[in-house]
Amino acid sequence: MNNQNPYKDFTDRFKLLLSKHRQPITITLSNIFTMRLIGNKTHGDLAEIAIAEFINQYMYDFRSIHVGKELFRAKSKEEDIQIINEITNDKFPVSLKAYGHGSLQLSTDKNFRMFPRLEEESTEISDQATIQHILSDPAFTGFGDINVLSLIYEEKNFRCNIIVFDWELAKSEIALITKVVKGKGRKHPIYRFDDKNGNYICEVRYGDAEANALQRGLWTHTKRAESYFESITSGWIDYTHNHALVKLFSHALVSSEVGHEIALEKIIEDIALIKQKSGI
């Protein structure tokens, strides 16, 4: 009997697939980050449908559904795609992030609970019992139910990575929580979480209802907290811009559904060819 966390089982399988078959994910990530040529934020929304379709096409024991923006108000958790293990019937949500290599938002903390909970404590907390008591508070335990899959990129170097933040490891290593109120360009205070060697792990940003989604919640930094991430792609993947895809999008937006159906037939044939060449 497999007692492993369903999401961890998925990421392990995902990592194994990518270690054996690089071409399909390289193509997919290149297409995702090509979308930045259309708009700086376009790639984020399209990454959701791209990764959902990648799972459906290449991970035969799993099925994925893009939750969609129209269901946003009905979401009980932070999720962009839902994954179903066809063998065990486990179903779990995934929050997909597409950020540049650096600051990374892990949770919006939409109920504004993390920051207010920390304000109940002193401005510097080093007592382990107190730290673990805070992390076991409902304000923080809810984050353990959020499965975050992060696609990060370095546009200058044309490379990208798929990573997962190890929250369980982070919790076990947090040795100091400090309130930081001053800093370059800082508008709101944060609570910084460090390990016993003074290394940065993550931070909680201002959580008042007045703060927008990009000013609050649990954040980390993919460079400064590198040891708390697992790379699903086993390191960086070089990507290239697919200019033909940009042209395809522009033409598709002014063509009819008939043309789209014809193009889709050719694309399905191409996916089959990719699978054949990759031995999937």
Side-chain angles (χ1 to χ4, degrees):
M1 183 177 178
N2 183 13
N3 294 318
Q4 188 173 19
N5 176 286
Y7 180 59
K8 183 66 168 78
D9 179 49
F10 164 75
T11 56
D12 286 348
R13 296 277 297 281
F14 196 16
K15 186 173 184 176
L16 180 62
L17 172 70
L18 303 188
S19 69
K20 294 181 177 179
H21 309 285
R22 287 304 250 196
Q23 186 187 30
I25 195 63
T26 301
I27 291 171
T28 302
L29 292 173
S30 292
N31 290 338
I32 288 171
F33 293 116
T34 290
M35 293 298 95
R36 288 185 56 76
L37 296 177
I38 296 176
N40 286 340
K41 296 182 179 180
T42 308
H43 69 286
D45 290 331
L46 293 179
E48 296 171 13
I49 60 175
I51 294 301
E53 188 60 32
F54 183 93
I55 293 166
N56 290 332
Q57 290 291 343
Y58 297 107
M59 298 186 71
Y60 297 130
D61 291 342
F62 294 88
R63 179 165 53 91
S64 181
I65 302 167
H66 179 228
V67 174
K69 300 304 178 187
E70 64 192 52
L71 299 178
F72 179 78
R73 295 186 184 276
K75 293 179 186 177
S76 60
K77 296 180 179 178
E78 295 180 41
E79 64 179 297
D80 298 306
I81 62 177
Q82 192 172 84
I83 299 175
I84 300 98
N85 186 317
E86 300 276 45
I87 305 300
T88 64
N89 291 319
D90 285 317
K91 184 185 296 184
F92 47 93
V94 173
S95 174
L96 199 126
K97 308 289 185 180
Y99 276 66
H101 190 25
S103 292
L104 172 66
Q105 186 179 36
L106 295 169
S107 168
T108 60
D109 187 27
K110 63 181 181 179
N111 294 318
F112 324 120
R113 303 173 73 181
M114 290 181 174
F115 195 91
R117 174 63 184 86
L118 289 166
E119 286 200 302
E120 296 175 8
E121 307 290 337
S122 62
T123 57
E124 186 171 295
I125 310 159
S126 57
D127 178 68
Q128 273 302 302
T130 304
I131 289 173
Q132 292 308 313
H133 182 66
I134 292 169
L135 296 175
S136 64
D137 188 278
F140 285 89
T141 54
F143 177 70
D145 297 328
I146 302 174
N147 304 312
V148 182
L149 189 67
S150 303
L151 279 61
I152 61 171
Y153 61 92
E154 283 189 344
E155 207 155 39
K156 180 181 178 181
N157 297 314
F158 283 92
R159 64 177 191 165
C160 54
N161 205 336
I162 300 178
I163 58 176
V164 173
F165 185 68
D166 192 336
W167 177 235
E168 291 303 315
L169 175 62
K171 286 193 297 181
S172 69
E173 293 294 321
I174 293 170
L176 179 66
I177 303 175
T178 309
K179 187 174 185 178
V180 181
V181 296
K182 295 181 180 180
K184 184 178 179 181
R186 186 176 304 287
K187 183 178 180 181
H188 299 295
I190 66 165
Y191 282 89
R192 171 177 160 146
F193 295 64
D194 294 336
D195 64 22
K196 63 182 179 181
N197 296 316
N199 297 315
Y200 172 95
I201 298 176
C202 58
E203 66 190 61
V204 171
R205 296 189 180 181
Y206 182 65
D208 190 272
E210 295 179 0
N212 65 40
L214 292 179
Q215 291 177 317
R216 64 171 185 261
L218 183 65
W219 286 71
T220 186
H221 198 285
T222 57
K223 293 180 182 178
R224 295 164 65 195
E226 187 176 4
S227 61
Y228 293 94
F229 284 95
E230 177 186 7
S231 174
I232 305 303
T233 47
S234 300
W236 293 93
I237 288 180
D238 294 330
Y239 73 88
T240 56
H241 281 152
N242 181 355
H243 295 281
L245 179 60
V246 177
K247 183 176 280 190
L248 174 65
F249 260 96
S250 64
H251 283 68
L253 290 171
V254 295
S255 60
S256 71
E257 189 174 355
V258 174
H260 299 160
E261 291 287 354
I262 295 170
L264 183 59
E265 289 177 8
K266 294 296 183 182
I267 288 171
I268 291 172
E269 290 176 8
D270 184 64
I271 293 172
L273 189 60
I274 293 171
K275 291 178 180 177
Q276 183 181 8
K277 287 182 177 179
S278 300
I280 297 177

